[in-house]
Amino acid sequence: MKLDDALDQIAELPDFPEPGVVFRDLTPLFGHPKAFSVVIDALADAVGEVDQLAAVEARGFVLAAAVAYAKGIGVTLVRKAGKLPSVAGRVDYQLEYGTATLELPADAVRTGQRVAIVDDVLATGGTVAATRELLTEAGADVRSVAVVLELAALGGRDKLGDLPLHVLRTV
Ligand SMILES: O=P(O)(O)OC[C@H]1O[C@H](OP(=O)(O)OP(=O)(O)O)[C@H](O)[C@@H]1O
Ligand SMILES: Nc1ncnc2[nH]cnc12
């Protein structure tokens, strides 16, 4: 299966979770055995040479765990607030449709460790920017970001400065 055909599995749902938002739903892609593996292989190529991945709850977990397995490296799970018993850092951020708080688990990354952030969608960039901030404050060397979809109109890449961004499809 070609990457473009795999990405065509992503559904578009208008007016979710609120009027005016077109929600990009990866559920059909996650459920399709060939499309999922094609996308995982493309993300694994995109992240390059790193020691560790970081993923954001919840959809990012599915992708990053599979990419980490494919690359033979580990993954740090950045959680929404209140889930972790021991926290290295916490940051509030804005989404296309609301606000949220992310927390980095204590002792999840080592100083100087090369980390790539993996997520499904880059929209406003708030999630990735917050994750990068948490990882950097904890001493990690954040090398790149890899996402399946970039929603270009929301300008998320402007929040990343010169951090390399790898996108499988821009819409
Ligand atoms: O670029 P941004 O504007 O920050 O938006 C992108 C984020 O929004 C979605 O997560 P959401 O917080 O909706 O959580 P979910 O994965 O638990 O559905 C998506 O999975 C990204 O992580
Ligand atoms: N439009 C959208 N679809 C899916 N996930 C998102 N995260 C932020 N905006 C999104």
Side-chain angles (χ1 to χ4, degrees):
M1 180 181 243
K2 292 201 172 78
L3 179 58
D4 264 341
D5 294 328
L7 295 171
D8 286 345
Q9 293 291 317
I10 298 169
E12 287 179 28
L13 301 163
D15 299 320
F16 182 86
E18 58 186 41
V21 174
V22 180
F23 189 77
R24 311 286 168 163
D25 185 10
L26 276 75
T27 303
L29 192 158
F30 289 155
H32 190 295
K34 196 62 203 167
F36 186 61
S37 71
V38 165
V39 164
I40 293 306
D41 289 346
L43 288 172
D45 280 349
V47 296
E49 181 78 14
V50 289
D51 306 309
Q52 181 85 357
L53 300 180
V56 190
E57 188 173 353
R59 287 171 268 157
F61 287 2
V62 177
L63 294 165
V67 174
Y69 178 78
K71 293 187 76 71
I73 58 177
V75 58
T76 293
L77 303 182
V78 177
R79 306 287 319 253
K80 302 275 171 64
K83 307 279 189 180
L84 293 169
S86 186
V87 171
R90 174 179 293 120
V91 64
D92 299 323
Y93 66 106
Q94 293 209 315
L95 282 158
E96 186 183 6
Y97 38 71
T99 60
T101 302
L102 288 180
E103 293 179 345
L104 181 72
D107 305 319
V109 291
R110 292 190 306 278
T111 302
Q113 197 171 30
R114 299 169 302 169
V115 177
I117 300 168
V118 174
D119 207 353
D120 62 335
V121 174
L122 182 78
T124 67
T127 302
V128 167
T131 302
R132 180 192 194 180
E133 187 181 329
L134 282 174
L135 291 164
T136 303
E137 279 174 4
D141 175 9
V142 180
R143 288 291 179 100
S144 65
V145 177
V147 298
V148 176
L149 267 191
E150 175 190 17
L151 309 185
L154 293 169
R157 68 167 57 227
D158 297 342
K159 285 210 180 76
L160 305 184
D162 57 6
L163 183 65
L165 170 66
H166 305 284
V167 173
L168 301 190
R169 175 175 281 177
T170 299
V171 295

